[in-house]
Amino acid sequence: MGVHAKLRAEAQARAGVLRRPRARRGLLPWLFLSPLLALNVLVVLGPSVGSVIIAFTDWTGMGNARWIGVANFVRMVHDPVYRIALINNLRWTAIFLTVPIAMGLLGASLLAGIRRGQILYRIAYFIPYIIASVVNAQIWRNILNPLLGIGPWLAHHGIPYFNVAFLGKEETALYTVAFVDNWHWWGFLVVVYLAAMQQVDPQLYEEARLEGAGRWQEFRYVTLPMIRPTLVFTLLMTVIWSFLVFDYIYILTRGGPAHSSEVLATEAYQAAFARFEAGYAAAVGLSMSLFTAIVVSLFMWLRRRGWEI
């Protein structure tokens, strides 16, 4: 064996010795993650695939299922209740993309200027968020009671405008539930936005004041750009959660009266557990996932095109 061949063989041997530990280091994280991966496959991926398959059957929730193709989806398109639920979900999304976001930004902006006692305000804003939705809903059900609530009490003292069954009228049911849900949600946004605002460099505000900026200009040209990642994240999550909303609507109105506050989640629940149409319920649930996936895909597409969101 020549000298060059011998040197090449030694170099290859050293490279092989170096590659083995590197390969082990690469496998080690996967070994630690494997239990979590197996758990996710068991409790997330498995039921998800099962739901997709059930959406193409006429399964009632019991017994055997019969494959019916896209019949559930065709029925869904022509179902007036589904259309009402979808429109209500869009209304709900529009409400929660505007009212609580604006209130959260305003509350955080005002709270950022308070130096003493700020923690008390934070706690006061955050308490409704940590109370169980069942408790919140029952509190507001009592407040809005058309016989014993605050409306009849005000009417008895000469203010009749609130003596209305807000949860019992088709025109007001959805917006009343949205009001109750917003009451517990916007305080959480205040705390999140306030935490983001406190990370903004104070020197930027000082420079803005030297340039003659007022409070609104500071908020628009300094605060908003600096908290944009937090703001975009909350907007994205608001859209996703708006299509999954269930608890407050089901507790307060169960989608009524006359489906006026029906949303896709309550319609899927009614189909599965009241009418025993598990296949149709799975199809409705699949449409909810599709709408959410569209929103997330649009968000990722905009980011790849260079949008700073």
Side-chain angles (χ1 to χ4, degrees), residues 81 84-85 88 167 169-170 173-174 177 246-267 269-270:
V81 176
I84 292 172
N88 283 341
L167 294 170
K169 295 184 68 175
E170 295 181 27
L174 179 70
V177 180
F246 175 79
D247 51 356
Y248 278 94
I249 291 177
Y250 187 77
I251 295 168
L252 288 171
T253 65
R254 295 179 183 262
H259 303 291
S260 61
S261 61
E262 199 82 72
V263 290
L264 294 177
T266 55
E267 168 60 6
Y269 181 88
Q270 294 289 347

Side-chain angles (χ1 to χ4, degrees), residues 48-72:
S48 300
V49 173
S51 297
V52 173
I53 296 172
I54 291 171
F56 293 91
T57 70
D58 65 348
W59 194 43
T60 62
M62 295 175 288
N64 297 325
R66 185 170 58 94
W67 184 267
I68 57 173
V70 296
N72 283 327

Side-chain angles (χ1 to χ4, degrees), residues 4 17 29 33 54 161 172 192 205 224-225 241 248 252 263 274 309:
H4 291 293
V17 170
L33 286 173
I54 291 171
Y161 310 108
T172 57
V192 171
Y205 291 109
L224 278 183
W241 289 332
Y248 278 94
L252 288 171
V263 290
I309 57 177

Side-chain angles (χ1 to χ4, degrees), residues 213-278:
R215 191 72 184 267
W216 168 247
Q217 282 81 14
E218 286 182 21
F219 178 76
R220 180 178 177 184
Y221 297 111
V222 179
T223 304
L224 278 183
M226 298 306 292
I227 68 167
R228 182 161 47 194
T230 302
L231 181 60
V232 171
F233 174 75
T234 55
L235 290 172
L236 178 65
M237 296 311 297
T238 298
V239 174
I240 293 173
W241 289 332
S242 293
F243 273 99
L244 303 178
V245 61
F246 175 79
D247 51 356
Y248 278 94
I249 291 177
Y250 187 77
I251 295 168
L252 288 171
T253 65
R254 295 179 183 262
H259 303 291
S260 61
S261 61
E262 199 82 72
V263 290
L264 294 177
T266 55
E267 168 60 6
Y269 181 88
Q270 294 289 347
F273 300 106
R275 305 196 299 267
F276 299 105
E277 297 172 336

